[in-house]
Amino acid sequence: MTEVIGIKFRTAGKVYYFAPKGINFTRGEFAVVETSRGVEYGEVLMANKELPEEKIVMPLKEILRKATEEDRKQYEVNHEKEREAFQICRKKIQEHGLEMKLIDVEYTFDRGKALFYFTADGRVDFRALVKDLAAIFRTRIELRQVGVRDETKLLGGYGSCGRPLCCHSYLPEFVPVSIKMAKEQGLSLNPSSISGVCGRLMCCLKNEEEVYEFLNSKLPAVGDYATTKEGLRGEVVSVSVLNQKVKLIVNLEKEDEKELREYEVSELKFKPRRRKDEA
């Protein structure tokens, strides 16, 4: 077992483990740490805890210190510097006539490096831009091209539900989302109905996937046949997943007579669908 603390550097950022170096932390405190990017200022999301070594990427980097009031002020100053750098970089992009859209600027805590995030349709030759930025800011410059999902995560916004975007507010990493999840939940497959602000499938489709898979496994599929408690046999024309009800076109005793009826799923006999985890 190894003692670690968990730290994040963005609101919905990934949690990284660090060696506490004998310092006790509580959730919500801040720390200054050494990372692969340089010195960073982050929030403690997980207090001192012992974890099995197989859950940790070794070797662990150590905490430099608990954040002080001076560190907090430096962090706020850095944000001001980032806003200034954003405006300068955007102006330089226009001067160089580059086909790229600046998304965000981020300084490491010690301002040893400035990262400029941008989107572009293809590859961009930004070597001249980097030279200009390095001459202006007198620090290491890194330009990082990101995709539309990353752009939305960085900028934030509101979804069709009226709530802040999942990726910007709490999701540390993107989850795989497929059109099958929308089908499983009986949603309209119109792209405008199931796509997020980024234009990709909504991350929240993943949230209820397991529930719908479980409920659907208890229902017949549309087009299947089921037998009612009265002994009538009929074809399934629709299902209500949440209500667990099924509509059938049943064959009545009189020849050539059919009728649309609704039943509780418990009142029917049919061959159940197999769940994905049972396949």
Side-chain angles (χ1 to χ4, degrees):
M1 303 289 280
T2 304
E3 186 180 22
V4 300
I5 63 169
I7 292 180
K8 67 174 183 177
F9 302 102
R10 284 183 173 270
T11 302
K14 184 178 177 180
V15 176
Y16 296 90
Y17 295 137
F18 291 86
K21 208 169 83 173
I23 305 173
N24 289 319
F25 287 88
T26 57
R27 182 185 172 97
E29 287 187 311
F30 290 85
V32 177
V33 300
E34 179 73 42
T35 72
S36 57
R37 296 198 317 182
V39 179
E40 296 279 20
Y41 177 95
E43 180 182 357
V44 177
L45 207 63
M46 185 186 78
N48 299 56
K49 185 177 181 179
E50 290 195 346
L51 292 178
E53 289 190 4
E54 57 267 22
K55 291 188 176 182
I56 304 168
V57 178
M58 302 295 281
L60 285 175
K61 290 188 177 293
E62 294 185 341
I63 294 294
L64 296 180
R65 62 181 180 275
K66 274 192 180 185
T68 63
E69 181 63 21
E70 289 73 22
D71 291 328
R72 185 189 64 79
K73 290 178 180 178
Q74 177 64 43
Y75 182 69
E76 292 175 354
V77 168
N78 286 351
H79 278 310
E80 290 296 327
K81 296 285 186 183
E82 288 166 355
R83 283 189 278 270
E84 294 173 9
F86 185 93
Q87 298 301 327
I88 293 170
C89 182
R90 189 161 63 175
K91 183 179 178 181
K92 287 296 179 182
I93 289 172
Q94 293 173 350
E95 290 178 4
H96 286 278
L98 298 173
E99 294 294 326
M100 56 192 288
K101 177 185 175 185
L102 186 64
I103 300 302
D104 195 17
V105 179
E106 183 180 13
Y107 270 113
T108 55
F109 181 68
D110 59 358
R111 293 208 292 276
K113 180 192 285 187
L115 296 96
F116 297 81
Y117 298 91
F118 70 95
T119 58
D121 291 334
R123 296 187 64 179
V124 180
D125 184 356
F126 47 68
R127 287 173 293 182
L129 174 63
V130 171
K131 288 181 181 178
D132 278 1
L133 296 177
I136 294 170
F137 299 114
R138 303 287 183 181
T139 189
R140 286 183 296 157
I141 302 295
E142 181 178 331
L143 268 70
R144 188 173 295 179
Q145 186 170 355
V146 298
V148 289
R149 295 184 83 190
D150 298 290
E151 175 186 1
T152 305
K153 183 176 178 66
L154 286 168
L155 297 180
Y158 290 86
S160 56
C161 59
R163 296 178 62 84
L165 297 176
C166 301
C167 61
H168 183 72
S169 56
Y170 73 90
L171 274 183
E173 295 181 286
F174 291 113
V175 294
V177 187
S178 69
I179 198 72
K180 178 181 176 296
M181 297 177 186
K183 292 179 180 178
E184 191 86 43
Q185 296 172 39
L187 299 175
S188 166
L189 299 185
N190 185 331
S192 64
S193 301
I194 56 176
S195 297
V197 174
C198 62
R200 301 291 190 266
L201 290 174
M202 294 188 292
C203 294
C204 58
L205 290 175
K206 178 72 174 177
N207 294 352
E208 297 180 3
E209 179 194 15
E210 291 184 7
V211 173
Y212 274 88
E213 282 184 352
F214 174 75
L215 294 175
N216 277 323
S217 70
K218 297 177 175 295
L219 293 168
V222 173
D224 285 355
Y225 284 85
T227 303
T228 71
K229 60 182 179 181
E230 302 97 345
L232 301 175
R233 181 173 170 77
E235 181 182 356
V236 178
V237 293
S238 70
V239 295
S240 176
V241 181
L242 297 180
N243 293 324
Q244 291 287 282
K245 291 184 178 181
V246 180
K247 285 186 178 180
L248 302 176
I249 295 181
V250 296
N251 299 310
L252 301 180
E253 293 180 357
K254 293 182 180 180
E255 192 174 348
D256 295 331
E257 276 196 45
K258 295 184 178 182
E259 188 174 300
L260 179 65
R261 295 184 180 179
E262 186 175 64
Y263 293 89
E264 296 283 346
V265 69
S266 58
E267 299 174 334
L268 300 174
K269 290 182 179 179
F270 57 91
K271 186 177 180 179
R273 287 186 281 179
R274 295 179 68 187
R275 288 178 60 190
K276 183 172 68 175
D277 57 1
E278 296 174 345

